[in-house]
Amino acid sequence: MSTTAYSRIASLGTRLPATVQTTPQLAALVPGLGDADIEKITGIAERRGCDPDPAAGEDSFGMALAAARDALASSHYQAADLDIVISASITRFTQGDRFTFEPSFAAMLASELGARSAIHFDVSNACAGMMTGVWLLDRMIRSGAVRRGLVVSGEQATRVAQTAAREMTDSYDPQFASLSVGDSAAAVVMDVSTDPGDRIHYVELMTCSEYSHLCMGMPSDRTRGIALYTDNKKMHNRDRLRLWPRFHGDLLAKGGRSFAGEGFDYVIQHQVGTRFIDYANAMAEDEFATPMPTSLSVVERYGNTATTSHFLTLREHIRAGTARRGATFLLVPAASGVVTGALSATLTNVGV
């Protein structure tokens, strides 16, 4: 009898800022935009933005802490039960606008939560950061190194939109993609699966570093602030979008399986925009020669929330009842790097 251990997603937590910014409101702040229609191009009607007042607790750290507490409240665990805390934030703002590297977010979160015996570390892998944290925790649970843990991220991504609004000269500017982002936090509690109907079946990632220059986040070289520079045309062309289905197809073929045979009920693409999601699904349908499962998204309401996008989408749909429990979900990362891959999980008893 096989003794292979599996992990499962025990609970999900999120935090969304209260402030809603519509796309017309954002467009009005970008004098260099011209007549480009952001909503038509991206499909994003609105997004959430953090309150700049430090007292609001809506910086990267404050939101991550709130999402972690939310996930724990939906689980059967206390913070003291956690064996590990992994933080995956790209933006690491504390005290409103202070960008922090040390101490690590994971260390600060573990301390604030009361997970005093937990090992802790940060990971950084662009928008695939939370997926990378889940990959690491899955492997640690499978190996028996830990029993349960937390992966968390808080993203104050609209900082790059503020920079773009000041600096963009036209709609072809490499900062255009910055106008698609939104702020949020998400957290995942994972533990050992004892039920084949409630587990992560596999999570695998691939990096194609030769494309890393196509999307770069860094301090702006023109004004004070952080900026995001993206070559959208090359980043989202056919060759890039075919990386996932070809990687996933090869992965399944090694085990004598096919995409159609996996029986996915839902797919969640990275929430870049509605056109991107439709295009990615169309490319995959062509590669796999089979219809795609129902595609879930929240990008229309929240924008591209970076590392948190898959888990925010997952929780929103499960809570709303628009995705059913007991279903098998496919989560597909698409991050600068370029990072792609697949997470397959059946979620039955997940706390939301």
Side-chain angles (χ1 to χ4, degrees), residues 17 19-22 26 29 44 46-52 58-60 63 91 93 96 154-166 175 177-184 225-228 301-306:
T19 302
V20 176
Q21 182 185 52
T22 67
L26 174 60
L29 302 175
I44 298 167
E46 60 188 36
R47 73 279 295 140
R48 299 296 179 92
C50 293
D51 187 330
E58 288 186 351
D59 52 30
S60 308
M63 289 195 300
T91 59
F93 290 102
E155 298 291 13
Q156 208 169 341
T158 53
R159 289 298 187 94
V160 299
Q162 295 166 15
T163 304
R166 293 193 303 269
Q175 293 192 67
S178 302
L179 304 180
S180 68
V181 301
D183 296 338
S184 80
I226 59 171
L228 180 70
R301 290 181 289 143
Y302 301 132
N304 178 356
T305 59

Side-chain angles (χ1 to χ4, degrees), residues 135-316:
W135 177 84
L136 287 165
L137 183 48
D138 171 75
R139 295 306 194 269
M140 295 180 79
I141 290 173
R142 284 174 179 249
S143 72
V146 300
R147 297 163 299 167
R148 61 190 73 96
L150 172 76
V151 181
V152 58
S153 180
E155 298 291 13
Q156 208 169 341
T158 53
R159 289 298 187 94
V160 299
Q162 295 166 15
T163 304
R166 293 193 303 269
E167 299 182 359
M168 278 183 60
T169 55
D170 56 49
S171 60
Y172 297 98
D173 192 290
Q175 293 192 67
F176 183 84
S178 302
L179 304 180
S180 68
V181 301
D183 296 338
S184 80
V188 181
V189 172
M190 293 167 55
D191 61 10
V192 178
S193 167
T194 58
D195 179 358
D198 194 18
R199 70 176 38 164
I200 293 177
H201 305 293
Y202 56 84
V203 50
E204 300 288 349
L205 300 173
M206 175 182 73
T207 298
C208 300
S209 59
E210 63 266 38
Y211 306 122
S212 61
H213 64 286
L214 298 180
C215 185
M216 302 287 289
M218 64 186 72
S220 169
D221 57 6
R222 292 177 53 194
T223 63
R224 185 176 182 271
I226 59 171
L228 180 70
Y229 304 99
T230 307
D231 186 332
N232 288 299
K233 186 175 181 179
K234 292 182 179 179
M235 185 77 172
H236 301 149
N237 70 15
R238 286 176 176 268
D239 289 341
R240 301 300 90 72
L241 291 180
R242 289 186 188 277
L243 287 172
W244 156 55
R246 289 176 177 173
F247 169 75
H248 197 178
D250 288 346
L251 174 69
L252 293 172
K254 289 176 183 176
R257 308 199 309 275
S258 69
F259 185 86
E262 293 297 277
F264 293 117
D265 297 291
Y266 304 101
V267 59
I268 301 176
Q269 301 284 352
H270 184 39
Q271 304 289 287
V272 176
T274 56
R275 283 188 178 182
F276 170 86
I277 292 170
D278 290 344
Y279 194 27
N281 285 329
M283 288 293 100
E285 190 165 302
D286 182 58
E287 283 288 321
F288 292 127
T290 191
M292 292 297 289
T294 300
S295 183
L296 303 177
S297 71
V298 295
V299 68
E300 303 88 348
R301 290 181 289 143
Y302 301 132
N304 178 356
T305 59
T307 57
T308 71
S309 71
H310 294 87
F311 302 98
L312 174 62
T313 303
L314 187 60
R315 196 203 192 197
E316 288 283 302

Side-chain angles (χ1 to χ4, degrees), residues 108-128:
M108 293 190 293
L109 287 165
S111 177
E112 286 289 330
L113 291 168
R116 293 177 177 81
S117 62
I119 40 179
H120 45 74
F121 56 83
D122 290 357
V123 296
S124 182
N125 198 12
C127 288

